Amino acid sequence: MGSGQWRQSIPGGALLAAPFTLIAVVTLVDINVPPEVHLGPFLVAAPAMTASFAGPRMTALVGAVAVLAQVAVALDRSSITDLNHTYQIVALFLISATVTFFAYLRERNAAEMVRLRTVAEAAQRGVLRPLPVRSGPLRLASLYLAAVEGAELGGDLYAAARTPAGTRVIIGDVRGKGLDAISGAAGVLGAFRALARQEGRLPALVTRLDSSVTAHRIDSLNENGGGTDAPGITEAFVTAAVLDIPDDVPEVRLVSCGHPPPLLLRAGRVHTLHPTEPGPPLGVGPLSVVGPTEDAFSFQDGDVLLLYTDGVTEARDRTGAFYPLAERAASWPGLGPERLLAEVRADLLRHAGGRLGDDAAVVAVERVPGWGTAGSGTPGPFRAR
């Protein structure tokens, strides 16, 4: 249990009683022990412990009470002008003032963190919008786990767009951390939402996404004083898997750009959708001479697609073992997208000891049985073509 959880588990009155009880006990004992014994230094603990859970006003009050208690001990024993007691009173006052100042800084920083978290939540709602629960014959659910405690958004991304013929989905991972990664994710998502309904063919959509990522990277370098030949320009890229799921055809079309392959869950078994010619990440350069390669896989009624970023499969346990997503997913047959992701979340955090080394995103897509007639019936071949 962390210190914050420990403090929250104790009522506020009990916490406040502790420093005042300490002052009373130390004062009574100090008055009654032999003159050569001095317990005054123990009073320093009262304002120090108060600063760990209370604000500057309460810390200052406890410090003032501790100083008055030390004065009372000095008057009872000899005189307030006694050199030993004078030093103890001055030292106690200075320490109380110091911890009060740090309590003030902590309270101000806490207020700033609340403000920043509010801004981050607003940014998350604007950039990484929740996926629709339903999109034609599909049910969708998403999961985002930030590696940094308290963070709401990083470089992992996902989105879904409804088209006249079906649903397009993207999942990706922007190289890097911090604001640059968030900016890159926002750029990719904005381009995907704008282009998903314009391009009829999936390879053409991915080609335009690649051009958008490259342009965004060059603009960012120019804004920061660099040029297109600046060091590190080739280091900014986005791995992505872009999928097209038609409403009336029982298949999923995939273009992979250096991203981990999706998993397909069917009848209690897990199949990895390996692309025939995976392309390089978006923003690296021309995808190929002929353009991105599109693969098609069977996607029948009741099948579930599991899309994920490498923060999931590269999560390690205490022994250094990676998280076996495919193996674990096979142990949860028949779950809908939301329940499946709830299991993944709990199991992943348990595997990683409650803290991930990298941001992780997962998207589950299920083809709902009973939508029309084209997507029903006996499952066809695993790779559609």
Side-chain angles (χ1 to χ4, degrees), residues 295-312:
D295 291 281
F297 302 89
S298 173
F299 186 42
Q300 303 287 335
D301 287 356
D303 289 352
V304 176
L305 281 170
L306 204 56
L307 318 174
Y308 56 94
T309 59
D310 58 11
V312 177

Side-chain angles (χ1 to χ4, degrees), residues 227-279:
T228 57
D229 296 327
I233 187 170
T234 59
E235 297 180 2
F237 58 81
V238 182
T239 68
V242 187
L243 300 92
D244 193 357
I245 308 174
D247 287 347
D248 300 325
V249 181
E251 68 179 22
V252 55
R253 299 159 189 162
L254 166 69
V255 172
S256 176
C257 303
H259 199 76
L263 302 177
L264 185 140
L265 285 61
R266 172 183 293 170
R269 299 185 63 183
V270 177
H271 308 273
T272 302
L273 305 187
H274 291 291
T276 53
E277 294 184 25

Side-chain angles (χ1 to χ4, degrees), residues 54-72:
R57 293 183 179 180
M58 183 56 64
T59 303
L61 174 61
V62 171
V65 173
V67 171
L68 291 176
Q70 184 61 48
V71 170

